[in-house]
Amino acid sequence: MTVDREVAAQYEQTPPDEVSRATVFAYAFAATLLFGWFLFGWLVLRQGFVDSVGESAGAGFALLLLVSVVGTVRRSRR
């Protein structure tokens, strides 16, 4: 089985764009907030380790979903 060069060129990936410092800072800030939220629930509210992990993981997944939706909307406007 051979692949036509035009089809292969169609699937070549362009190099990814560099990640800005603001993006790295925002991700680090979000990770710090999530870790703080975990510690707050576990040590201050005393809701249990597993509950605190689940709550902070759920908040993290919600943030990832929000970032994904915003990225999709921004990319579709280009």
Side-chain angles (χ1 to χ4, degrees):
M1 175 183 243
T2 60
V3 177
D4 191 21
R5 290 183 186 180
E6 293 175 5
V7 174
Q10 179 182 359
Y11 291 107
E12 286 182 13
Q13 294 182 357
T14 59
D17 295 333
E18 290 187 21
V19 179
S20 68
R21 288 185 182 180
T23 302
V24 173
F25 178 75
Y27 283 146
F29 183 71
T32 304
L33 282 179
L34 287 174
F35 185 67
W37 187 250
F38 160 75
L39 288 177
F40 178 75
W42 185 36
L43 299 175
V44 176
L45 297 179
R46 298 187 186 275
Q47 63 184 5
F49 181 80
V50 175
D51 290 336
S52 295
V53 168
E55 188 171 330
S56 58
F61 286 127
L63 280 173
L64 285 175
L65 179 64
L66 180 67
V67 167
S68 175
V69 168
V70 168
T72 301
V73 168
R74 288 184 65 199
R75 183 170 291 155
S76 69
R77 289 186 179 183
R78 289 185 194 176

